[in-house]
Amino acid sequence: MINPLSLVAAAVAVVVGIRCAILGCKRPASSSSVEIAPGVRMPLVLNGMSTDHGLWLASGGRGIDTAFLYGDELQRHVASGIAASGVEREEVFVTIKVNCCPTDRCSRFCAHPPRPTSAPPMSVYNGSEMLEHSLAMTGQRYVDLALLHFPCSSWDDTLAMYRDLEAARDRGLARAIGVSNFNASALKRLLRHARTKPAVVQNALSVAGHPAPHRGEGTACSEGAPLYGSDDATLRFARRHRITFAAYSPLGSISRVDVLGHPVVREVAAAHGKTPAQVALKWLVQQGIAAVTNTARPKHAAEALDLGSFTLSAREMRALSKAR
């Protein structure tokens, strides 16, 4: 029987091959990554919820970010993109996020899980089992970084899920582990009890509005609020404890921040002959913060991966940091 995933990978391979023939498949810059754990380097720009990771890899991108909660279809796009790219697996950095249900927030995902109706409830899965499912969907034997997507509804459950990730790392399923949507106080509590310090904390963060102008309370997934660690206090805590900060929603699409229209961002972009998106991403990576963007367009991928061609001055960095 023919595997449908193989057919998809073959089709993507043709498209990627044509792109490479026309545009040339680029290689990433050696300085475009950060060491998050001994021997583990993470690209400073990653592609998130995309349906075309093959394009990202052909453009020179090497970081891909996905999650159990994104559902099987989006995770399969990771598998087809990598398989069709011709890029060696060791050159690609894959992040997978697993979650607990119920969560402390964003529990609407638990009410409507993107899973087959025949599957057991997500609450019966531990972190290792979820990771194994995501590995199967993405076609990987291991993941470079496994994150706990949100804190659980109880601290005991949160610590149990994190210990599942520690066990997964010990088994070779993950090269490094970390958390997402944890604020400074949650990180501090985790450090007191965890056996392994999180290598990465991935929270919403962007220029021109962090935290976002909402509190993020309740179950509505209002990312960008201090409750989710999208603030300078969490960033300072992470730096003090040598935890790499990764920013999702770097252009404000999820946190509902008008990054691209902010006058300071546009002014700096005009001065460098770059796009507002490039300036917003550069503001992050120049601080050593990884940016998880999302694109399936060649022009946007090329722009996101062309951040080494300019440098923001200290004055510009200060102005962007103060922009609200």
Side-chain angles (χ1 to χ4, degrees):
M1 181 178 293
I2 297 175
N3 185 345
L5 188 58
S6 299
L7 294 177
V8 173
V12 174
V14 173
V15 175
V16 173
I18 293 173
R19 286 174 180 152
C20 290
I22 297 174
L23 303 175
C25 284
K26 299 179 180 179
R27 296 186 63 84
S30 59
S31 61
S32 58
S33 63
V34 59
E35 188 172 54
I36 62 171
V40 182
R41 297 194 67 85
M42 179 173 72
L44 281 170
V45 184
L46 303 93
N47 198 35
M49 297 177 68
S50 174
T51 59
D52 195 348
H53 293 293
L55 171 119
W56 181 253
L57 295 170
S59 300
R62 292 297 181 266
I64 295 176
D65 182 281
T66 190
F68 181 92
L69 278 179
Y70 297 168
D72 292 352
E73 182 178 356
L74 276 181
Q75 292 184 100
R76 288 191 183 106
H77 285 301
V78 175
S80 59
I82 294 176
S85 68
V87 177
E88 295 293 331
R89 171 61 183 91
E90 290 72 20
E91 293 185 31
V92 183
F93 188 98
V94 179
T95 299
I96 290 176
K97 298 182 286 291
V98 300
N99 63 285
C100 47
C101 283
T103 62
D104 181 40
R105 39 196 180 269
C106 274
S107 59
R108 66 179 174 85
F109 281 122
C110 296
H112 304 284
R115 292 179 51 74
T117 55
S118 60
M122 285 194 292
S123 58
V124 307
Y125 283 82
N126 62 31
S128 293
E129 289 171 334
M130 280 192 183
L131 180 57
E132 288 173 5
H133 177 84
S134 289
L135 287 172
M137 292 300 98
T138 56
Q140 308 303 306
R141 293 181 295 102
Y142 66 92
V143 67
D144 297 281
L145 176 64
L147 302 177
L148 176 55
H149 209 154
F150 296 96
C152 304
S153 57
S154 75
W155 172 249
D156 287 343
D157 287 344
T158 298
L159 185 57
M161 283 292 290
Y162 190 78
R163 284 175 173 160
D164 286 342
L165 292 186
E166 289 179 322
R169 191 204 61 170
D170 292 344
R171 293 170 54 201
L173 298 181
R175 299 177 66 209
I177 62 174
V179 294
S180 179
N181 294 298
F182 274 54
N183 58 28
S185 61
L187 285 173
K188 183 177 181 180
R189 190 173 189 182
L190 182 64
L191 289 180
R192 288 202 303 265
H193 298 278
R195 175 168 53 88
T196 305
K197 182 179 73 173
V200 171
V201 56
Q202 184 189 115
N203 300 338
L205 191 74
S206 69
V207 70
H210 63 278
H214 54 74
R215 293 186 58 81
E217 296 174 337
T219 63
C221 295
S222 299
E223 292 96 333
L227 183 63
Y228 288 69
S230 303
D231 57 357
D232 289 329
T234 303
L235 180 59
R236 287 193 298 269
F237 184 92
R239 284 174 172 163
R240 187 161 63 249
H241 292 275
R242 297 185 179 181
I243 301 170
T244 300
F245 199 106
Y248 71 81
S249 193
L251 304 182
S253 60
I254 298 175
S255 55
R256 304 194 305 278
V257 174
D258 184 15
V259 172
L260 303 184
H262 196 283
V264 176
V265 177
R266 298 183 71 85
E267 179 184 348
V268 174
H272 287 272
K274 300 295 181 180
T275 66
Q278 286 178 301
V279 168
L281 295 174
K282 183 68 175 182
W283 175 78
L284 290 166
V285 302
Q286 194 163 309
Q287 300 179 66
I289 300 171
V292 184
T293 187
N294 174 17
T295 185
R297 297 182 179 182
K299 180 177 183 294
H300 292 166
E303 289 177 354
L305 295 167
D306 184 35
L307 303 182
S309 61
F310 70 106
T311 301
L312 299 174
S313 69
R315 181 186 62 80
E316 290 170 330
M317 289 292 290
R318 286 194 299 269
L320 290 166
S321 297
K322 293 177 181 178
R324 291 292 184 269

